[in-house]
Amino acid sequence: MPFDRRESRRRLADRRKGPELRPVEEGPRTQEEVNQLRSHLEYEMWMLKETVDYLALHGQRVGESDMNAYLESFLLHATTLVDFYFPFDPAVREDVIAEEFIPQWSDHVDLSDQLRRLRENADRGLGRLSYRTLELPTKKQLAAIYEELDSIRSRFELLLKTQEEEQPPASG
């Protein structure tokens, strides 16, 4: 279900809010909440792919304002996904994380060195003044990061579907 950019303005405004989810302590996730999460993850992957494609196509224009904006957007969407799948401290947070949907998620994945470096670079260079500058990843690095996050998303979706199939149907 790809993200449709032609949606009405109201639906786009609703999408910007992100999923309206309650803390997991309040009970199991509803199918509507799972669908909202899927939609949000699809949006993050779509934006990541768009920024990767742009940076790969225009990478020779390093230092121009649009390149800086796309680099920052790439880092934002990539680290949003990394933080969802690999939170710093699952016990102390306000963000929605994968383990709320798949309790044994951390048994199925490990944070790679590539994604760890990405998170560190974004943390040092986004949203604050820093002595470090953001460096444009190579086309190969961009593609590798996208492919790894897409693979993790596919694994997450497979486990989510398996979990849904194992749950008894809701009585009504």
Side-chain angles (χ1 to χ4, degrees), residues 69-172:
Y70 272 90
L71 176 57
E72 291 170 4
S73 180
F74 164 77
L75 289 170
L76 173 70
H77 292 288
T79 57
T80 295
L81 290 164
V82 170
D83 291 344
F84 171 74
Y85 294 120
F86 307 98
F88 284 109
D89 183 356
V92 181
R93 62 176 172 66
E94 293 181 354
D95 300 330
V96 177
I97 62 170
E99 284 185 346
E100 289 183 337
F101 291 83
I102 301 173
Q104 296 79 26
W105 174 246
S106 61
D107 296 341
H108 296 277
V109 294
D110 291 310
L111 181 62
S112 69
D113 288 338
Q114 172 176 256
L115 295 182
R116 184 176 287 109
R117 283 190 305 272
L118 172 81
R119 176 189 270 169
E120 289 169 0
N121 289 336
D123 185 49
R124 289 186 199 130
L126 282 180
R128 62 184 206 193
L129 296 177
S130 173
Y131 290 111
R132 286 192 85 226
T133 58
L134 293 175
E135 295 178 18
L136 180 65
T138 65
K139 290 179 184 181
K140 187 176 179 179
Q141 290 168 329
L142 289 167
I145 290 167
Y146 176 80
E147 288 169 13
E148 183 175 356
L149 286 169
D150 191 43
S151 174
I152 291 169
R153 182 183 61 99
S154 294
R155 189 173 315 144
F156 179 79
E157 184 61 36
L158 178 63
L159 290 168
L160 199 57
K161 284 181 182 179
T162 301
Q163 183 174 284
E164 288 172 335
E165 291 167 1
E166 291 173 356
Q167 291 179 349
S171 59

